[in-house]
Amino acid sequence: MSVDKAFREMVRNEIEAQLKPLRDLVSRLEAGTSDLDSLRSVAEQLAPLASAVGPLFGVASGGGRASAPAAGRRSPGRPPKSAAAPAASSSSAGGKRRGRKPADEGGARDCAIQGCGKPSRTKGYCAAHYQKLRMLEKTNRRPSEWKDYAAPNSVEDIKLPRGRAAAKALAEAQKNAG
Ligand SMILES: [Zn+2]
């Protein structure tokens, strides 16, 4: 029996320690300097503890509803600080959009360049050919057939000059641009 009593003592001390942050929090809540989210997180931390030690103190845990009292403790008669809870759930539900446009994800089409065969990623072109398109555009050499969203396999690829010829072609294009 004395062992049992010592054990209860130990558990009680443990609970006191666990409850301290809650008490602090409640006093801060009453002072209006804290928010309900932190109260909820403390309550969630306490819930398993309550269900574990409740029976030791003869607390009827009502068939697994032991977490209910802890959750219900939040704000009796106090209006919830409205925005906090809904905002938290809605932001994870997709407030921010990803960078890529949804239209590009349709990706069943093939690249617009003839014989490429890769799935299109951007404006009807695969990643490599879109890069090439951008490069051609930047250097003022984009062929008129290389349209945005051209039909799959419809655009003839062009062979770019290499080496000195490439430099020459670039210079030529720059001249035409200016
Ligand atoms: Zn391609």
Side-chain angles (χ1 to χ4, degrees), residues 13-35:
N13 290 340
E14 182 65 23
I15 289 176
E16 279 300 308
Q18 297 274 349
L19 283 177
K20 180 134 187 337
L22 184 62
R23 289 217 194 87
D24 294 348
L25 193 65
V26 167
S27 59
R28 266 186 290 147
L29 266 177
E30 280 163 0
T33 57
S34 189
D35 60 356

Side-chain angles (χ1 to χ4, degrees), residues 2-174:
S2 64
V3 173
D4 184 51
K5 195 183 166 208
F7 180 64
R8 283 176 188 235
E9 197 70 23
M10 187 187 84
V11 171
R12 189 169 286 128
N13 290 340
E14 182 65 23
I15 289 176
E16 279 300 308
Q18 297 274 349
L19 283 177
K20 180 134 187 337
L22 184 62
R23 289 217 194 87
D24 294 348
L25 193 65
V26 167
S27 59
R28 266 186 290 147
L29 266 177
E30 280 163 0
T33 57
S34 189
D35 60 356
L36 290 174
D37 278 340
S38 42
L39 176 59
R40 188 180 317 130
S41 76
V42 172
E44 276 161 7
Q45 284 166 24
L46 287 172
L49 180 75
S51 68
V53 302
L56 289 175
F57 300 99
V59 175
S61 68
R65 295 181 129 260
S67 64
R73 190 181 309 209
R74 100 171 78 119
S75 74
R78 191 171 302 166
K81 275 189 185 159
S82 54
S89 64
S90 76
S91 71
S92 66
K96 281 180 186 165
R97 292 206 163 239
R98 293 282 180 83
R100 194 179 293 168
K101 288 176 195 153
D104 300 333
E105 307 261 356
R109 337 180 348 152
D110 280 354
C111 176
I113 300 299
Q114 288 173 12
C116 171
K118 294 197 185 89
S120 71
R121 288 256 314 258
T122 309
K123 296 187 177 180
Y125 295 82
C126 73
H129 279 123
Y130 184 65
Q131 278 212 335
K132 189 170 178 178
L133 184 156
R134 298 256 299 164
M135 185 273 288
L136 289 168
E137 194 172 40
K138 249 192 233 166
T139 55
N140 197 35
R141 292 180 294 170
R142 182 174 175 176
S144 56
E145 310 87 70
W146 286 50
K147 298 187 180 78
D148 286 1
Y149 305 104
N153 266 300
S154 73
V155 176
E156 201 178 337
D157 199 0
I158 62 168
K159 217 176 187 134
L160 292 167
R162 294 188 174 269
R164 299 181 61 169
K168 217 169 151 188
L170 269 175
E172 197 77 10
Q174 287 301 335

